[in-house]
Amino acid sequence: MRTLRAWAIRLAGVFRARGRAQQFDAELESHLEMHVEDNVRRGMTPEEARRQALLALGGPQGVRDAYRERGGVPFLESFAADVRFALRMLRTAPGFTTATVLTLAIGIGAATALFSVVNAVLLRPLPYDDPDAIYRIRTIDARGLPLGQVGRAHIAPLNEQSQSVQAAAYGFLQESSIIGRDGLAVPMNEYFASEEFFKVFIDPLECGRGFEAADGPATVLSHRIWRDVFQSDPDILGSIVVVDGAQRLVTGVAEPGFEFPSRTGAWTRIRIDAGPVSDVVTNMDGYARLRPGVRGGQLQAELDVLAGRLGPWPDGHRLQFVSLPLHQDVVGAFESTILMLSGAAAMLLLIACLNVANLLLTRGVVRTREIAVRGALGAGRWRVVRQLMTETFALSIVGGALGLAFAVVAMRVAGAIGFAGLPRLDDLAIDRNVLFFTAACTVITMLAVGVAPALRNAHGDLMGLINDGGRAAAGGPRRNRLFGALVVAEVALAVTLVIGAGLLVRSYARLSSVDLGFNPERLVSVLINITGRTGDVGSEYLPVARFYQELMDRIRTLPGVVSVAATSHAPLEPGLERVSGAPFLMPGETFDPQAVRPAQTLQVSPNYFAVMGIRPAAGRLLQPTDRRDAPRVVLVNEAFARLVYAGRRAVGERLVFPGAALWSRGGMAFHLGVMAGDRFEIVGIIPDIRQTTVWDEPQPTVYFPQEQWTIRRMTIVVRAQRDPPHTLIPAIRAELADMDPTLPPTFEVYSDILSAATARQRLGMALLAAFGLASLGLAAVGIYGLMSYSVSQRTGEMALRSALGARSSEVLGMIVAWAFRLTLIGVVLGLVGAWAMRTFVASQLYEISALDPLVFVIVPATILVVSILSSYLPARRAAAIDPAIALRAE
Amino acid sequence: MGRKPTDVWQGTLALMVLKVLETMGPIHGYGLGRRIEQTSGDRLTLNYGTLYPTLLKLEQEGYIAGDWGVSESNRKARFYKLTRAGRKRLEQVAREWDQTIDIVSRFFASDQAS
């Protein structure tokens, strides 16, 4: 306690050093005078008295020093002195200071920006209770990719008998709407889930309860909907709400922040009965919560056993489950992109460090004389090292702070361009973790970059200096080799980085030029869900079909509209759960659950393909005459024709879609109008369209006329006469409101849809290209710096050569050749590095090889040219040295 | 005895300072040093250079308090006095010393006895 008090006073004393010193001087003076007085009284002469007094004191300066040290914190004071000195020295070398600070800022800024992304996407835990125990269950689809979904038959056994699973649930998301107290419909996402859902997500409820076995159509509202639509009505529990046209009993309200999986407004209980058809409905999400202590491997093992028990898919391919932690499922492919970018940021930081190390070493050489003199004046080696490290410290602090500012600006800019389509980036912030990272980065960089040069520069051989006139200590082949090695390392890293950037650029260019199969220009999509009407299947058909027809007619007459059509899911539109699959049969086949084949199904208006700019490959398109009472027809795409009729003529063949109404989801019957047993004739073949993603191959698809298979939820596509098409939105909204004010539409412009579809690749490319350019710049600066320094050190040698008859072009050539040699070694190393990382980079590329020859040739060539240019100026200076002047200076 | 003047240890110096202050009351640095030498029977030659840092340390720890005043010869000087905490510390240290002396003398007593 007392010691603490003493230290606190000493700390405060650091700031009042001068005042303390003055006070003590007075005290010491008074002490001496009193001692002298005594001595005189004892009989000494005044001079003798004073001498004795001083002797007894033991040397006043020593006393003052001891007193001063105890009065403050010597370490802090010398540190403060070092900092002041460092700042002064840095001010005298503005070029060096600016270069170092900027270089550090670039490296630390890139690392910080990337870390903020890593923090938001990968490190932040999901906002659910005990999220590590929640696993997503998928199946391997017919393409061999783990993107398939599950059905009731896959999930139910996990709830009945499982060692590893505490609860398992299935569900699917649907865009829907809820009627508020004022009678107006509010659009929201509705998640249909099985009874165990709130046991997987462990009752994240503010009040009420989840689902129970005895429930009818029950729903749990999200906190946001409860607050905004129902004004936080305390009596909401037990009341009836109307969602998507159907009545629901509210059994609970979720806590704020729980909106799984994507801004969900309500979770509704569904029940799918076991049966032959329900067993083939396999387009739902599956989740499981593991029992405490169980690991993911155990779940997977159980799933493998289950798959064996259930047997293969109807189309023959083996049933295989894939289980992965929910976090991984949410982040998906973005994780590998982020990891790649993190590696690139680390490389950039490394390049920056190498540059700074080089700068510090060079500066050390310049100050050899000063350091040697300091050593001669009594500074210990350790003291000098400390002072040099303080300079590095000052540079690092400023560089780190500037880097943080760069990172903030960069993320703001990136955010303004838009992160749509990328998971978890809505919450990008500079939080505690990021600040801590920046600080740690700065400290590590400072140590890594500063220690070796400080140690190296701190030895000063004064005698050697005086003897040689300073030349021997300054240059020397060993130091040049060290510098050269640093430059080689920089170039190698830059080559690897820029090659990566080049590959991503090419890949993105390839992706951007994929033939989508339709014309997306000046296109607006309007998503509408006809709600507010309950009832059974048959009687609903007419109003829904008529509604859409009238709406489209109205929109067609609006100024600026070229054409209008409708589809159950527009290509590349988000909301893939709206793309359904349906099993189909050839005529005469009986429905056998084991042998069912599913195809992707879409419902479209007759003019859909014309509006989208698609011509048939064979046969005809749908026509207005393909009405409900007309013969049943469908179109198929080329992928379907290849798969089912390989080689044979598909037009004229017939398909049967058994019991479509039976397996409309959970008995909700939103598919209207398709009768079981109907035979559909294939009247035309459509070229393949990218329906789900830009990069996935189109799947076998069957298109139904909207009149013959009517669904409530359609996307109207409108082609505008002029850009930008969103100017049509207010007029369209007005027409819809005029027809039915309770229907809330969702608008999207196709340019935004396309942009979101390739957002991940674009972000990766943009960041990596930025890093690549930065690394190129830093490497160029590094080469320039090394050449400049080397020339200035070898002035005498150059002059000698000139005097002996070397032409200036020879001297120039010598310097440039040296730079070229170093760069060449660096390039080779960089190419090896790029080759070594080919598998990792390949996962990010679309149709471009990780060893793409164009990139592997252009990048090294560019860097060699850059290096030659960087070395040219210093080389010219070397060649212009007047031998007479240089030699005389020796 | 013929013993040479010995150096004074830092810790025991602090103890002596506190004791003198308790006996003499407020006193300035020079007077303090003089008094210590006298009390030791002039066997100690005090290095005044270590006295002042010791005084500073005691002041920082709160055992003594210093303030400017006027000496008997009408000179401006800095006087130190014992604080309550210092008094308590002195008692505590005195007790510890007694204990130490007691234990050590037992050793020598047993040595003589055997």
Side-chain angles (χ1 to χ4, degrees):
Chain A
M1 257 303 293
R2 291 284 151 186
T3 339
L4 218 59
R5 183 182 194 274
W7 276 104
I9 295 180
R10 286 177 78 167
L11 205 56
V14 170
F15 301 99
R16 292 180 7 255
R18 203 169 303 160
R20 276 193 300 111
Q22 274 175 347
Q23 279 230 325
F24 185 60
D25 279 345
E27 190 172 351
L28 211 53
E29 195 52 44
S30 112
H31 169 107
L32 276 176
E33 284 174 8
M34 284 192 273
H35 200 169
V36 167
E37 249 181 49
D38 265 359
N39 281 351
V40 166
R41 223 180 306 124
R42 264 193 235 125
M44 298 189 205
T45 61
E47 300 83 25
E48 185 63 21
R50 189 148 186 99
R51 195 174 77 88
Q52 290 295 331
L54 284 173
L55 274 178
L57 203 47
Q61 191 51 43
V63 181
R64 282 202 201 92
D65 285 344
Y67 191 85
R68 184 175 44 92
E69 277 186 21
R70 188 166 284 284
V73 184
F75 175 72
L76 272 188
E77 284 162 4
S78 69
F79 180 68
D82 278 345
V83 170
R84 278 195 297 271
F85 182 73
L87 291 177
R88 231 180 18 242
M89 290 308 291
L90 292 177
R91 255 203 303 275
T92 68
F96 163 79
T97 310
T98 319
T100 311
V101 165
L102 273 182
T103 308
L104 282 172
I106 290 175
I108 295 180
T112 301
L114 234 308
F115 182 79
S116 69
V117 172
V118 168
N119 185 43
V121 179
L122 298 180
L123 295 181
R124 233 179 356 142
L126 292 173
Y128 315 125
D129 273 359
D130 194 11
D132 295 329
I134 306 180
Y135 271 66
R136 179 76 192 265
I137 301 177
R138 291 182 178 272
T139 55
I140 307 254
D141 66 17
R143 296 171 293 178
L145 299 175
L147 300 175
Q149 293 184 281
V150 298
R152 185 206 152 274
H154 305 141
I155 297 295
L158 292 175
N159 281 314
E160 287 152 21
Q161 352 115 272
S162 166
Q163 304 278 34
S164 51
V165 171
Q166 193 169 301
Y170 50 84
F172 55 94
L173 187 69
Q174 205 167 279
E175 276 148 26
S176 162
S177 65
I178 189 167
I179 308 284
R181 292 277 182 254
D182 53 1
L184 287 181
V186 176
M188 71 167 190
N189 288 337
E190 188 181 8
Y191 198 74
F192 290 90
S194 63
E195 177 191 329
E196 290 80 8
F197 179 80
F198 286 107
K199 300 203 185 85
V200 173
F201 284 90
I202 306 198
D203 282 326
L205 299 177
E206 172 143 312
C207 54
R209 57 172 179 79
F211 302 139
E212 269 166 28
D215 282 339
T219 196
V220 170
L221 297 179
S222 74
H223 195 266
R224 198 170 38 89
I225 290 291
W226 177 56
R227 188 194 62 205
D228 294 344
V229 178
F230 297 100
Q231 283 77 45
S232 306
D233 180 2
D235 298 321
I236 192 81
L237 296 182
S239 66
I240 302 282
V241 296
V242 179
V243 180
D244 203 24
Q247 291 191 331
R248 307 252 181 276
L249 177 73
V250 178
T251 58
V253 174
E255 62 186 14
F258 183 73
E259 295 193 335
F260 181 86
S262 168
R263 286 185 66 82
T264 306
W267 294 266
T268 300
R269 154 82 187 271
I270 52 163
R271 175 189 278 122
I272 295 184
D273 298 317
V277 174
S278 89
D279 284 346
V280 298
V281 174
T282 54
N283 48 7
M284 298 188 283
D285 315 322
Y287 306 96
R289 170 173 284 278
L290 299 182
R291 291 186 198 275
V294 170
R295 291 217 306 273
Q298 286 172 262
L299 172 66
Q300 184 62 42
E302 263 195 42
L303 289 172
D304 291 337
V305 168
L306 180 63
R309 209 155 40 90
L310 291 177
W313 289 96
D315 64 4
H317 86 270
R318 190 162 73 96
L319 174 65
Q320 269 175 283
F321 290 108
V322 182
S323 60
L324 60 162
L326 187 61
H327 182 266
Q328 220 171 303
D329 187 59
V330 166
V331 170
F334 199 31
E335 181 171 3
S336 66
T337 306
I338 292 182
L339 290 179
M340 176 199 69
L341 289 174
S342 302
M347 270 194 233
L348 188 60
L349 183 57
L350 197 51
I351 294 178
C353 289
L354 289 172
N355 240 353
V356 172
N358 235 350
L359 285 166
L360 286 173
L361 282 173
T362 318
R363 182 155 164 75
V365 166
V366 164
R367 295 171 64 187
T368 312
R369 186 161 298 174
E370 169 216 330
I371 292 173
V373 168
R374 275 212 251 145
L377 284 176
R381 184 157 186 247
W382 170 236
R383 185 75 186 82
V384 177
V385 168
R386 241 174 60 200
Q387 197 273 316
L388 290 175
M389 283 301 295
T390 312
E391 273 184 36
T392 313
F393 171 77
L395 288 168
S396 301
I397 294 288
V398 178
L402 195 59
L404 186 60
F406 280 179
V408 169
V409 168
M411 295 324 284
R412 285 278 158 80
V413 167
I417 294 179
F419 288 135
L422 295 171
R424 306 200 81 194
L425 278 184
D426 40 337
D427 207 4
L428 196 64
I430 304 286
D431 69 358
R432 220 177 29 214
N433 286 356
V434 175
L435 287 174
F436 183 73
F437 175 84
T438 309
C441 217
T442 306
V443 169
I444 294 177
T445 304
M446 175 183 86
L447 291 174
V449 160
V451 168
L455 287 174
R456 194 180 181 87
N457 292 335
H459 75 273
D461 175 16
L462 191 59
M463 288 311 294
L465 263 186
I466 293 174
N467 286 344
D468 272 304
R471 223 164 337 261
R478 227 180 58 184
R479 203 171 273 221
N480 267 346
R481 255 194 301 234
L482 177 62
F483 289 169
L486 288 176
V487 164
V488 165
E490 270 191 54
V491 169
L493 286 172
V495 164
T496 313
L497 209 53
V498 177
I499 284 182
L503 288 173
L504 279 193
V505 166
R506 280 210 78 191
S507 164
Y508 185 73
R510 191 63 67 90
L511 194 66
S512 305
S513 60
V514 162
D515 179 13
L516 299 171
F518 66 97
N519 177 8
E521 289 174 21
R522 302 184 307 276
L523 211 57
V524 173
S525 73
V526 189
L527 174 63
I528 299 172
N529 194 359
I530 310 284
T531 60
R533 299 160 173 82
T534 58
D536 66 359
V537 175
S539 65
E540 285 303 315
Y541 153 71
L542 225 46
V544 172
R546 288 281 168 272
F547 182 90
Y548 279 112
Q549 193 55 53
E550 185 189 338
L551 180 61
M552 286 195 284
D553 290 336
R554 283 194 181 208
I555 296 177
R556 203 169 286 122
T557 63
L558 291 176
V561 171
V562 172
S563 50
V564 188
T567 171
S568 58
H569 179 263
L572 300 176
E573 202 184 359
L576 287 178
E577 62 281 343
R578 302 213 315 277
V579 184
S580 359
F584 64 91
L585 303 171
M586 311 290 246
E589 288 178 347
T590 45
F591 182 72
D592 174 12
Q594 302 304 318
V596 155
R597 286 165 298 185
Q600 197 168 261
T601 58
L602 294 168
Q603 294 77 28
V604 299
S605 65
N607 59 345
Y608 171 72
F609 297 101
V611 171
M612 296 304 272
I614 301 167
R615 291 175 177 287
R620 66 166 174 89
L621 291 175
L622 299 176
Q623 278 149 14
T625 49
D626 296 315
R627 282 196 303 270
R628 182 167 164 76
D629 47 3
R632 299 264 176 267
V633 295
V634 290
L635 301 176
V636 300
N637 68 352
E638 285 175 333
F640 185 97
R642 275 193 304 269
L643 179 71
V644 178
Y645 301 107
R648 286 193 340 266
R649 187 177 149 77
V651 176
E653 296 283 342
R654 288 184 189 278
L655 297 171
V656 178
F657 292 87
L662 286 179
W663 43 262
S664 58
R665 289 167 167 171
M668 274 229 5
F670 67 91
H671 299 152
L672 309 165
V674 170
M675 292 308 176
D678 286 346
R679 289 161 173 253
F680 293 78
E681 180 187 347
I682 299 177
V683 294
I685 301 182
I686 303 293
D688 294 334
I689 301 174
R690 304 273 161 165
Q691 189 75 30
T692 52
T693 67
V694 178
W695 53 87
D696 285 328
E697 291 299 317
Q699 288 194 286
T701 307
V702 180
Y703 299 93
F704 289 83
Q706 189 190 4
E707 293 269 321
Q708 294 186 357
W709 186 347
T710 311
I711 62 174
R712 294 185 194 274
R713 208 171 45 166
M714 299 287 276
T715 299
I716 311 276
V717 284
V718 181
R719 193 173 298 278
Q721 211 165 20
R722 267 185 272 282
D723 264 322
H726 64 76
T727 49
L728 297 177
I729 292 179
I732 299 175
R733 196 194 296 273
E735 288 297 336
L736 181 61
D738 191 46
M739 288 181 65
D740 185 340
T742 67
L743 287 182
T746 309
F747 289 93
E748 289 262 28
V749 179
Y750 248 85
S751 49
D752 293 339
I753 292 179
L754 291 184
S755 166
T758 53
R760 174 171 64 85
Q761 289 85 349
R762 192 168 51 250
L763 181 68
M765 174 199 73
L767 281 181
L768 201 54
F771 289 167
L773 280 175
S775 74
L776 208 52
L778 288 180
V781 165
I783 293 175
Y784 176 85
L786 172 60
M787 294 303 137
S788 277
Y789 163 72
S790 166
V791 161
S792 68
Q793 291 308 310
R794 294 161 71 178
T795 322
E797 178 198 335
M798 304 287 148
L800 205 54
R801 285 178 192 258
S802 281
L804 286 174
R807 285 196 300 275
S808 64
S809 60
E810 282 174 9
V811 176
L812 196 122
M814 217 177 67
I815 301 288
V816 173
W818 184 38
F820 187 83
R821 266 198 316 273
L822 287 176
T823 313
L824 200 58
I825 300 175
V827 161
V828 168
L829 287 176
L831 287 173
V832 168
W835 180 84
M837 294 201 295
R838 64 195 184 291
T839 26
F840 182 56
V841 176
S843 67
Q844 303 294 315
L845 300 177
Y846 175 75
E847 285 194 2
I848 296 280
S849 151
L851 299 177
D852 184 58
L854 190 65
V855 173
F856 269 66
V857 162
I858 288 189
V859 169
T862 311
I863 292 189
L864 284 170
V865 167
V866 165
S867 99
I868 291 178
L869 288 175
S870 300
S871 58
Y872 178 70
L873 279 174
R876 234 176 58 147
R877 254 191 282 130
I881 291 173
D882 184 356
I885 296 177
L887 288 174
R888 211 183 304 141
E890 286 209 15
Chain B
M1 310 267 159
R3 235 186 283 162
K4 274 208 259 202
T6 48
D7 290 324
V8 185
W9 292 318
Q10 198 76 302
T12 46
L13 180 58
L15 171 62
M16 288 187 244
V17 166
L18 290 177
K19 187 63 184 171
V20 167
L21 284 179
E22 189 202 32
T23 323
M24 304 275 306
I27 191 172
H28 49 68
Y30 174 66
L32 193 55
R34 268 269 173 266
R35 180 69 190 172
I36 290 176
E37 283 175 345
Q38 283 170 7
T39 313
S40 77
D42 284 319
R43 286 191 211 107
L44 288 175
T45 310
L46 190 55
N47 179 357
Y48 286 86
T50 57
L51 178 63
Y52 282 101
T54 307
L55 285 173
L56 181 59
K57 182 162 190 273
L58 286 170
E59 209 180 347
Q60 288 172 342
E61 286 168 343
Y63 294 136
I64 65 179
D67 206 357
W68 286 97
V70 180
S71 73
E72 54 280 347
S73 49
N74 235 350
R75 208 173 282 287
K76 198 159 171 252
R78 199 145 193 271
F79 284 78
Y80 296 94
K81 74 172 197 283
L82 199 61
T83 63
R84 197 179 318 163
R87 213 172 287 273
K88 276 214 281 264
R89 177 93 180 116
L90 191 56
E91 287 166 15
Q92 179 193 6
V93 175
R95 273 199 302 273
E96 286 170 12
W97 262 110
D98 284 337
Q99 233 180 8
T100 311
I101 290 170
D102 189 41
I103 294 172
V104 173
S105 46
R106 275 174 206 256
F107 274 93
F108 284 107
S110 67
D111 191 33
Q112 281 174 356
S114 59

